[in-house]
Amino acid sequence: MSIREGAPARERSETPDPHPAVAAAEHSRVRDLRVLLQTVVSGGTLAEALARVVEWIERVIPETRGSVLLLDDEGVHLQHAAAPSLDPAYCALIDGLPIGPQVGSCGTAAYTGEAVVVADLRVDPLWENYRDLAAPFGMRACWSHPIRGSTGRVLGTFALYRDRPSLPTDAEWEMLVDASHLTALLIERSRADEVRRQSENDLRSILEHAPDIIARLDARGRYRYVNPAMLALVGVPAVRLVGRTSEEIEWMAPLRERLSTMMAMAARDRTPQRDEFAVETPIGERWLDASVVPEQNDAGVLTGFVFIARDRSERRMADLALRRSEARLQRVFNLSGRSLALLDTSGRLQKVGDLAVSNTGIQRDRMIGEHFWEIPAFASLPQSQDALRRAITAAAAGTAGGGEVQFRGRNGDLRVGWFNVFPVHDAQGRVVEIVMEGSDMTDTRLLEQRLRQSEKMESLGRLAGGIAHDFNNILAAVLGYGELLLGEALPGSEAHEGLQHIVHSSQRARDLVRQILAFSRKADVEHVPLDLRALVVDGIRLLRASIPSTIELRERVSSAPMVVSGDASQLSQILLNLGSNAEYVLRGESEAYLDVELTRVMLEGARARSLELPKGEYALLTVRDSGRGIPADVVDKIFEPFFTTKPVGEGTGMGLAVVHGIVVAHGGNVRVESSPSGTAFEILIPIVSEEARVATRRAGGRSIGSGRVLVIDDERAIVSFLERILPRRGFEVECHTSPLDALKQFRARPYDFDLVITDRTMPRLSGDDLAEEVHALRPGLPVIIISGRGSQPGDEDTHGDTVFRLAKPFDVVDLMHTIEVAQRAARGRLDDGSL
């Protein structure tokens, strides 16, 4: 059974002892307790002190083994603290034991805050979940008493174990209670000592690292403490100062005399004394702001002094530097990277920096004495004048401010500026002057506008790319079935003619989708070194044949090659689209002309930054027309897809959007300048050092192949088309609309297939992931991945010549050519033994 503290004493063992024995035991107990206390207070760690208490109680209560467990910081787990006689294995098992209403003797005592006496662990319900833990160590009884602090909070438990069932006698119980109280005192003293040591360490750290000079002296003027700053000042080691008076040490007579005078006055008046003076030190003259504070006890007896001094030398030198800098104020005004001006409190100009004069083009003497908002730069701009007047008035009242204003530059052009005004106070805190600084933010605003336009184009590009992806899937089926049926129709028949129109219209739609993908920078293109000059010359030849003879086409093309990295078909579209756009604008104009110029330029510094391009050599293609120009409210929208000012049926609004997309995809930029006398488009493409590559065209034809092809596409119409066309070209076909089903079949029969054709974007498993799985089972097997979205970032295949790309929509010639290339590569690997 378990007994809680407060139960009648008769429930404990009451074995009577003869009086002489009791007296002898009590005398031994007192003697041992005295020895214990002397040992504990002699020092040592808390763990050592607790172990001594446990050893003492084990001596005075025979046949017991003691244990001290302490609560953790959260108060929910008991942690091993001392148990010199218990098996370490048992101590490790109970270390971290959670407290609770039925957690053995100690866990329950810590949880309830009451003593718990268990006579027999094997039958007591409190040990139901823990008796198997104690049994291997021969423990049968456990008496646990909570260790309470001075506030009553439970700190842990003090427990005694016996190897036989038993209850404590009253004397034994009193000794256990005494032990728990003594343990509480030791714990609280240890924790208080730790707090005190930490506090002393913190205070010492503050004093040791304080920049101020600090010393403490007794009533007779002997140094009791000096901090490093004091030692650094006087150049004397601490061992020469501590324990001596200033008069006993040969050091800095002026400082000794000042300090002695201040201590005498502090002792006399019993008030802090303060003085500022200069002294010669080993590191030169230093100005000290010094204080001496008297210390006294509760009886009012003087016990010592605290000397605190702050080195004000830096402030003195700063004041001197400030006075010297006033002579250089005008130079600062003139050399500053911002426009600076000094105004009086009424807003009249007193000083003006050179940059302000340069930005406005106004002579300095015309501005001095004028109200700032009335100078010519702000004439006819009432909103800017009001903003400046309000900010300057507020600064005169002590409030700094700023804002954005418009002003006219030295050429009379309207520009954007940002200004700040700051009040200048005198020693009494009155505003005596106003400093104004300004920056020309015109170029920054233009860059921000370009950034917003770029973000808008990026969003539209993602939208266009998404639409093109879905439309490509539709076109792939329309074009494929159109070609399939066209091959079956009787030439010259009405069906044959209609199917020709379907195929031709599908091809035109495919070209439009490719323009959209070029705009959104998602087209499948290969960038190779090309001579841009040759492409421009070819484009000019086409323009001559396509524009009316009423438009004079003038060309100025450099004779030297200009090698750029790009796609020939896309780069050709730039000049053709710009030329077509100009031709529409110049219709009906008399004496109209169209200039095409190609030159080599070097971008550096500010110009490169304004165009957001790296510095280096660029090919500059300029297309300039003599039209009426682009209206100001339209010029920001001309590169948006589907935006057009042409009547319905005369334009899709994709021409300039495609130009912008192609140029950006080639690492360049587009700049447009328009006025009532014409519009000029400037195209910048980076020049590379490689030699140009000559493009070759592949010829079409009715290719025939052989082998077994695994086809996967989640679009049923495309699967049906491939299922019909491939057998006609000599192939056996197995088709799936689920990539997981196809992979399952391939895993079962990996060597039954000679080629895999898969869509790229499919649910649950993409074409690229499917290719990885196929090659894991059958390395080297050619895989053709069909994509309706075009190439994406990271498309650079790591499969070498085992993965091939085919863009949707594709015609039969494209399909058979790609199959032929894939199978030729596979045969090559077979011949050289790599398969």
Side-chain angles (χ1 to χ4, degrees):
M1 62 177 290
S2 59
I3 301 176
R4 304 290 176 89
E5 186 175 31
R10 65 177 179 273
E11 295 187 19
R12 303 193 185 100
S13 175
E14 296 183 356
T15 303
D17 293 315
H19 291 293
V22 171
E26 185 66 22
H27 178 73
S28 176
R29 170 188 170 191
V30 172
R31 184 185 63 249
D32 287 349
L33 183 58
R34 184 184 304 111
V35 172
L36 170 65
L37 293 175
Q38 291 174 348
T39 305
V40 167
V41 299
S42 64
T45 65
L46 176 62
E48 293 171 346
L50 295 179
R52 290 170 186 159
V53 174
V54 174
E55 290 169 349
W56 166 75
I57 201 168
E58 288 175 347
R59 286 196 303 273
V60 298
I61 305 179
E63 300 180 6
T64 60
R65 287 178 285 174
S67 169
V68 176
L69 298 174
L70 300 182
L71 278 171
D72 60 9
D73 293 338
E74 290 76 22
V76 294
H77 293 86
L78 288 172
Q79 296 177 331
H80 169 70
S85 300
L86 284 179
D87 193 310
Y90 178 74
C91 295
L93 290 173
I94 63 173
D95 191 21
L97 189 74
I99 66 174
Q102 283 188 311
V103 185
S105 300
C106 295
T108 305
Y111 180 78
T112 61
E114 298 178 358
V116 175
V117 177
V118 174
D120 191 347
L121 277 58
R122 294 184 180 181
V123 297
D124 196 285
L126 295 181
W127 282 81
E128 181 177 355
N129 297 323
Y130 301 95
R131 58 175 56 98
D132 291 339
L133 183 147
F137 302 97
M139 292 180 288
R140 293 292 300 274
C142 181
W143 319 327
S144 181
H145 194 282
I147 302 171
R148 291 184 179 275
S150 57
T151 62
R153 186 169 67 92
V154 176
L155 305 177
T157 61
F158 198 116
L160 287 177
Y161 294 89
R162 263 196 177 144
D163 298 342
R164 55 183 174 79
S166 66
L167 290 173
T169 65
D170 288 344
E172 291 172 339
W173 184 251
E174 289 176 5
M175 285 185 283
L176 177 59
V177 172
D178 290 343
S180 68
H181 293 336
L182 178 58
T183 303
L185 293 174
L186 291 174
I187 295 170
E188 291 194 329
R189 191 203 68 176
S190 175
R191 293 178 178 177
D193 289 345
E194 179 62 28
V195 171
R196 177 179 52 77
R197 283 193 297 270
Q198 185 61 46
S199 177
E200 291 175 351
N201 290 337
D202 293 344
L203 179 58
R204 181 172 296 275
S205 177
I206 292 171
L207 294 174
E208 294 290 313
H209 295 93
D212 289 345
I213 298 159
I214 302 172
R216 197 173 186 189
L217 304 91
D218 63 17
R220 296 175 57 186
R222 286 190 298 257
Y223 286 96
R224 298 166 57 191
Y225 169 80
V226 287
N227 74 336
M230 175 75 170
L231 297 175
L233 175 73
V234 301
V236 176
V239 293
R240 287 188 55 195
L241 280 178
V242 177
R244 300 182 182 183
T245 65
S246 299
E247 289 73 16
E248 295 172 346
I249 309 168
E250 294 296 330
W251 62 285
M252 296 172 55
L255 180 58
R256 295 202 315 264
E257 294 171 1
R258 289 273 188 166
L259 183 55
S260 297
T261 301
M262 294 176 71
M263 286 195 300
M265 296 174 63
R268 182 194 64 196
D269 301 335
R270 300 297 175 92
T271 59
Q273 302 297 312
R274 183 175 179 180
D275 193 7
E276 187 170 346
F277 50 87
V279 293
E280 284 294 333
T281 73
I283 58 175
E285 184 183 71
R286 311 303 294 176
W287 278 88
L288 301 182
D289 181 1
S291 297
V292 171
V293 181
E295 292 184 313
Q296 52 191 12
N297 59 22
D298 294 340
V301 177
L302 183 69
T303 58
F305 304 91
V306 175
F307 172 60
I308 303 174
R310 178 160 295 182
D311 191 337
R312 294 293 190 181
S313 306
E314 302 299 331
R315 187 194 66 181
R316 289 271 180 163
M317 288 187 286
D319 291 343
L320 178 60
L322 179 61
R323 287 193 297 271
R324 292 173 180 172
S325 69
E326 290 176 353
R328 299 191 295 269
L329 178 60
Q330 189 62 50
R331 282 191 64 192
V332 173
F333 265 64
N334 294 338
L335 298 177
S336 173
R338 295 191 176 190
S339 299
L340 292 178
L342 190 64
L343 294 73
D344 63 18
T345 54
S346 68
R348 294 183 185 275
L349 285 161
Q350 295 178 322
K351 290 184 180 180
V352 181
D354 286 350
L355 188 58
V357 174
S358 175
N359 285 344
T360 60
I362 306 171
Q363 295 180 358
R364 196 187 311 271
D365 57 1
R366 288 190 57 192
M367 289 191 282
I368 300 300
E370 294 290 330
H371 285 105
F372 186 80
W373 55 84
E374 292 179 354
I375 63 176
F378 303 106
S380 70
L381 298 171
Q383 290 183 341
S384 296
Q385 291 178 321
D386 289 343
L388 289 168
R389 187 186 297 109
R390 287 195 301 269
I392 292 171
T393 301
T399 303
E404 187 175 282
V405 293
Q406 290 183 321
F407 70 97
R408 297 200 177 275
R410 60 183 306 107
N411 299 321
D413 55 323
L414 197 62
R415 304 187 70 80
V416 178
W418 182 269
F419 72 93
N420 291 300
V421 287
F422 306 97
V424 179
H425 300 83
D426 63 8
Q428 287 72 40
R430 295 173 299 187
V431 178
V432 293
E433 290 177 320
I434 297 171
V435 175
M436 171 169 282
E437 64 171 6
S439 301
D440 189 338
M441 304 296 292
T442 307
D443 293 339
T444 301
R445 291 291 180 268
L446 290 175
L447 289 175
E448 291 174 353
Q449 185 178 1
R450 288 180 185 175
L451 178 60
R452 288 193 293 269
Q453 178 69 9
S454 175
E455 291 173 346
K456 182 194 299 183
M457 299 296 286
E458 183 70 23
S459 299
L460 290 171
R462 287 194 294 269
L463 174 63
I467 295 173
H469 167 255
D470 293 338
F471 194 41
N472 266 337
N473 283 330
I474 300 172
L475 278 180
V478 174
L479 181 58
Y481 277 105
E483 287 192 314
L484 187 65
L485 295 175
L486 184 62
E488 298 175 350
L490 183 66
S493 65
E494 183 177 349
H496 189 273
E497 181 180 355
L499 288 169
Q500 283 182 320
H501 283 297
I502 291 175
V503 171
H504 178 65
S505 298
S506 298
Q507 291 171 340
R508 288 181 60 195
R510 177 184 61 186
D511 294 338
L512 177 60
V513 172
R514 286 177 178 173
Q515 283 191 335
I516 295 174
L517 287 172
F519 157 74
S520 62
R521 288 172 269 165
K522 291 178 169 42
D524 281 310
V525 295
E526 179 186 7
H527 285 197
V528 297
L530 300 170
D531 183 5
L532 183 61
R533 177 188 176 280
L535 294 177
V536 170
V537 170
D538 288 344
I540 292 174
R541 188 181 303 114
L542 291 174
L543 281 178
R544 288 189 185 279
S546 61
I547 64 176
S549 58
T550 56
I551 301 175
E552 180 186 0
L553 179 59
R554 305 184 302 199
E555 61 176 289
R556 288 188 292 276
V557 179
S558 172
S559 59
M562 296 187 192
V563 180
V564 300
S565 178
D567 178 77
S569 62
Q570 287 197 351
L571 291 174
S572 299
Q573 288 184 52
I574 296 175
L575 181 57
L576 295 179
N577 284 3
L578 291 177
S580 174
N581 193 66
E583 182 272 333
Y584 179 84
V585 173
L586 297 175
R587 287 180 188 176
E589 296 285 338
S590 59
E591 300 182 357
Y593 66 84
L594 177 62
D595 285 346
V596 178
E597 182 178 356
L598 181 65
T599 58
R600 182 189 297 259
V601 297
M602 174 65 74
L603 288 188
E604 292 182 325
R607 188 180 181 193
R609 290 193 297 271
S610 66
L611 292 170
E612 299 177 342
L613 292 174
K615 62 181 180 180
E617 278 196 307
Y618 287 80
L620 172 61
L621 174 64
T622 304
V623 179
R624 183 182 293 105
D625 64 60
S626 59
R628 298 179 297 275
I630 304 173
D633 59 338
V634 172
V635 70
D636 291 337
K637 303 177 182 178
I638 60 174
F639 293 118
E640 296 180 5
F642 312 115
F643 175 81
T644 180
T645 57
K646 298 176 183 178
V648 176
E650 295 195 31
T652 62
M654 287 300 300
L656 293 180
V658 168
V659 168
H660 184 276
I662 292 173
V663 172
V664 173
H666 284 75
N669 205 341
V670 184
R671 186 171 177 267
V672 60
E673 288 186 356
S674 185
S675 67
S677 61
T679 300
F681 288 89
E682 293 183 351
I683 310 297
L684 286 156
I685 304 291
I687 292 177
V688 299
S689 59
E690 293 91 340
E691 295 183 359
R693 181 186 299 180
V694 179
T696 58
R697 292 181 176 270
R698 63 176 175 84
R702 185 174 179 82
S703 302
I704 299 296
S706 63
R708 185 169 179 81
V709 182
L710 178 63
V711 175
I712 311 101
D713 198 310
D714 60 326
E715 288 285 338
R716 183 65 216 178
I718 296 176
V719 170
S720 299
F721 163 66
L722 293 174
E723 196 172 21
R724 295 183 62 180
I725 191 63
L726 289 176
R728 300 186 183 192
R729 296 303 177 99
F731 297 96
E732 296 181 41
V733 181
E734 180 176 327
C735 297
H736 294 273
T737 56
S738 167
L740 296 181
D741 291 344
L743 181 59
K744 182 179 179 180
Q745 291 299 319
F746 186 85
R747 285 172 174 166
R749 301 175 284 119
Y751 289 93
D752 283 3
F753 302 98
D754 303 295
L755 176 68
V756 175
I757 300 177
T758 177
D759 187 26
R760 178 178 191 170
T761 306
M762 297 181 294
R764 303 183 68 182
L765 188 67
S766 70
D768 292 297
D769 293 338
L770 180 62
E772 293 280 355
E773 297 287 348
V774 165
H775 287 147
L777 296 168
R778 178 96 175 270
L781 181 68
V783 178
I784 297 175
I785 298 178
I786 306 173
S787 173
R789 187 178 288 273
S791 61
Q792 302 290 320
D795 274 355
E796 297 78 6
D797 288 313
T798 59
H799 307 276
D801 56 354
T802 59
V803 171
F804 304 86
R805 305 279 175 178
L806 179 61
K808 293 180 184 178
F810 53 84
D811 54 26
V812 177
V813 174
D814 292 333
L815 174 65
M816 296 308 300
H817 173 75
T818 306
I819 292 176
E820 181 180 347
V821 170
Q823 291 188 325
R824 189 187 307 123
R827 287 194 296 271
R829 291 192 301 276
L830 186 61
D831 292 341
D832 64 18
S834 59
L835 283 181

